Amino acid sequence: MNSRRAFFKGAGAVGAAVVATAVSKVAMAALPEPVIQTKPDTMPPLVPNSGRPYNPVVTLNGWTLPWRMNKGVKEFHLVAEPVVREMAPGFKAHLWGYNGQSPGPTIEVVEGDRVRLFVTNRLPEHTSVHWHGQRLPNGMDGVSGLTQQSIQPGKTFVYEFVARRPGTFMYHPHADEMTQMAMGMMGFWITHPKAKHPLIDEVNRDFCFLLNAYDIEPGSYTPKIMTMLNFNLWSWNSRIFPGIDSLNVRLGDKVRIRVGNLTMTNHPIHLHGHEFTVTGTDGGPVPKTARWPEVTTDIAVGQMRQVEFVADEEGDWAFHCHKSHHTMNAMGHDVPTMIGIDHRGVAKQITNLIPDYMVMGERGMADMAEMEMPLPDNTVPMMTGAGPFGSVEMGGMFSMLKVRRGQKAGDYTDPGWYKHPPGSVASEWTGAMAEPARAGAPTGQSMPSQTKPAKDIEVQVRKPAGQGGHSGH
């Protein structure tokens, strides 16, 4: 069922002095109806129609969870359950998530709100929810075995606390965490300021998304939960390029992007064409004296970074992780390097036996983005994407910031490819080339070596082939 209803059905009260515990039969009769969303599209912002007003966020390839007001308390209903997530067109994964998706829906509240969250467990094992970065009573922190009993399958627990400080936070299990987070259980939490804040500017566009990673072999559907380092799918909100939507803004907009990292490694997130400042972390707003211009910010494991900038340059600007293997899909760690090896003769003989055989990596990896190579069911090419000038040769954590003069306020639809003014695109030069000026001073080492080999030595580096291929890590 797909639903974006702003109100829940039903009514009833739950006592204010509740702890994270199993819900009674009386309270169960008053549970808010769970709202389920399975579409992978970026949904419009959910403008609040009850409670204190705020400027809502847009979750990239996601949505915001509606609530109901119950005697001054904001009530939400999260359902932990197996989900099917389309990671890119033609490629679906069997994950665990919340309310029909992985990641789960974004939760938006206002500083000072009393929040009540019902969590129903439809997983095949126990779970809990940790409200990452929040100031709250210890019994609401969601650490299974330490601060609460686990939520057993079929049970519903309730958490209640006051959103005490504004900022960007996350939620995820603290029960069998390695398995459940590897399966995609996570979500975003935004607490908006209740009044004008000296360190939190008003913006025209406010985006958020989570970084997550999976190890799903081509042709399969379920992640490997024991993987520690060698993930092969690097995603934003469980989507991989070309399945990640662009961030569409109007020329001159003040833009905020909130990015949380729940993978097993750091990610240097890089934006083309603009400088930004890091204005917030999951610890709160950054003092203005501690901000400086950047084009890349590194987001470590378990961290959130909030960046802001003015979109004052029109165009289609790349936005991606700057670890180059994180902008590829379904990577194979054991693919040999074939650059410089001419094996056309061998390839011809193999083709006689296997008609679909194709040489890989003889001139680099770019060929893989364009060749018509047969793929296993339920996977995507390592490098893909067709831009207005040809193959983009990207995957994984890659998208675009699309800045347009004619984009209307509140319009998040894709405006299509940017139409460049005449003479503003790099192109082939066919004229005469002047002889370049060369420096006259000799170049070389800072000082001569004491000894020198009798003849030049060409070093060839070979990667040791231990059992498993990564035994030395």
Side-chain angles (χ1 to χ4, degrees):
M1 178 178 68
N2 295 328
S3 178
R4 287 301 305 272
R5 286 159 288 188
F7 289 100
F8 293 104
K9 295 179 182 178
V14 180
V18 288
V19 295
T21 184
V23 178
S24 69
K25 291 183 179 179
V26 175
M28 283 288 284
L31 277 177
E33 178 189 358
V35 181
I36 307 299
Q37 172 65 265
T38 58
K39 293 172 61 176
D41 306 335
T42 299
M43 302 302 290
L46 183 61
V47 178
N49 57 7
S50 60
R52 283 177 279 201
Y54 57 84
N55 184 33
V57 301
V58 170
T59 305
L60 193 64
N61 290 105
W63 59 299
T64 291
L65 184 63
W67 66 89
R68 75 174 180 190
M69 296 300 298
N70 186 356
K71 297 184 179 181
V73 180
K74 277 187 176 176
E75 292 187 338
F76 298 85
H77 192 170
L78 281 175
V79 179
E81 60 183 351
V83 303
V84 176
R85 177 63 162 171
E86 183 191 78
M87 299 191 72
F91 175 37
K92 294 182 178 180
H94 293 174
L95 306 178
W96 290 358
Y98 301 92
N99 296 59
Q101 284 199 359
S102 167
T106 297
I107 295 172
E108 291 187 77
V109 301
V110 179
E111 177 189 10
D113 281 350
R114 176 167 285 277
V115 183
R116 184 177 296 137
L117 302 114
F118 297 90
V119 179
T120 298
N121 183 10
R122 293 179 183 166
L123 298 172
E125 67 167 359
H126 64 272
T127 189
S128 71
V129 182
H130 168 58
W131 313 101
H132 181 111
Q134 301 274 10
R135 291 289 190 112
L136 37 62
N138 184 242
M140 298 292 169
D141 196 43
V143 181
S144 177
L146 177 65
T147 65
Q148 69 166 85
Q149 294 180 345
S150 299
I151 309 173
Q152 296 299 319
K155 299 295 185 181
T156 297
F157 273 43
V158 60
Y159 299 82
E160 184 169 333
F161 53 90
V162 174
R164 292 165 53 182
R165 62 187 179 93
T168 308
F169 312 104
M170 299 176 273
Y171 63 88
H172 60 79
H174 238 297
D176 194 10
E177 187 173 338
M178 182 187 72
T179 297
Q180 295 185 13
M181 291 183 68
M183 289 292 290
M185 297 191 69
M186 58 194 69
F188 238 116
W189 176 299
I190 310 292
T191 300
H192 297 278
K194 64 182 177 182
K196 190 171 178 62
H197 195 289
L199 298 179
I200 303 176
D201 293 342
E202 294 183 2
V203 296
N204 303 107
R205 313 264 174 163
D206 199 338
F207 297 94
C208 68
F209 59 92
L210 285 168
L211 310 176
N212 39 11
Y214 300 97
D215 186 6
I216 304 176
E217 290 186 348
S220 63
Y221 290 81
T222 306
K224 295 181 179 179
I225 61 172
M226 301 301 290
T227 298
M228 291 184 288
L229 295 174
N230 296 330
F231 296 92
N232 65 357
L233 293 169
W234 302 97
S235 66
W236 290 358
N237 264 19
S238 298
R239 295 280 286 184
I240 56 177
F241 184 78
I244 301 174
D245 286 348
S246 55
L247 289 73
N248 309 312
V249 308
R250 181 174 58 172
L251 181 68
D253 274 352
K254 180 73 175 289
V255 180
R256 177 184 293 133
I257 304 176
R258 313 171 194 239
V259 186
N261 180 8
L262 289 176
T263 73
M264 300 282 276
T265 187
N266 65 305
H267 297 276
I269 300 299
H270 174 58
L271 176 63
H272 292 206
H274 297 80
E275 305 85 29
F276 56 72
T277 56
V278 176
T279 59
T281 73
D282 31 4
V286 175
K288 291 189 176 181
T289 54
R291 303 176 187 180
W292 61 84
E294 291 272 18
V295 298
T296 304
T297 186
D298 195 40
I299 308 176
V301 179
Q303 286 185 338
M304 189 283 301
R305 290 293 179 266
Q306 170 184 298
V307 303
E308 293 177 19
F309 60 95
V310 175
D312 54 6
E313 295 286 348
E314 277 197 286
D316 295 334
W317 301 104
F319 181 42
H320 59 95
C321 178
H322 218 289
K323 287 187 174 181
S324 55
H325 61 294
H326 292 180
T327 54
M328 296 181 68
N329 297 323
M331 298 175 297
H333 295 281
D334 297 321
V335 177
T337 299
M338 306 299 289
I339 294 174
I341 300 175
D342 185 355
H343 52 292
R344 285 172 292 184
V346 175
K348 185 177 180 180
Q349 296 179 45
I350 296 176
T351 304
N352 291 333
L353 299 173
I354 309 173
D356 289 331
Y357 175 79
M358 301 190 77
V359 175
M360 296 177 61
E362 186 177 321
R363 293 173 298 278
M365 300 296 287
D367 289 350
M368 299 180 66
E370 299 181 356
M371 62 189 182
E372 296 292 331
M373 184 177 182
L375 294 172
D377 291 338
N378 199 52
T379 191
V380 288
M382 284 190 189
M383 303 161 69
T384 185
F389 296 99
S391 176
V392 178
E393 300 164 10
M394 283 288 170
M397 294 177 166
F398 180 89
S399 186
M400 290 152 285
L401 172 75
K402 293 192 173 185
V403 183
R404 296 292 188 277
R405 190 179 306 273
Q407 195 85 358
K408 295 180 180 179
D411 181 7
Y412 291 89
T413 57
D414 188 341
W417 298 118
Y418 179 58
K419 295 179 175 57
H420 300 83
S424 65
V425 177
S427 58
E428 180 185 4
W429 173 260
T430 57
M433 297 291 291
E435 183 66 23
R438 301 183 184 278
T443 60
Q445 299 170 227
S446 59
M447 61 181 68
S449 59
Q450 190 172 9
T451 59
K452 186 178 180 180
K455 61 180 182 178
D456 292 339
I457 299 175
E458 181 179 343
V459 178
Q460 294 185 353
V461 179
R462 292 183 180 273
K463 183 177 179 180
Q467 291 184 352
H470 293 273
S471 57
H473 283 194

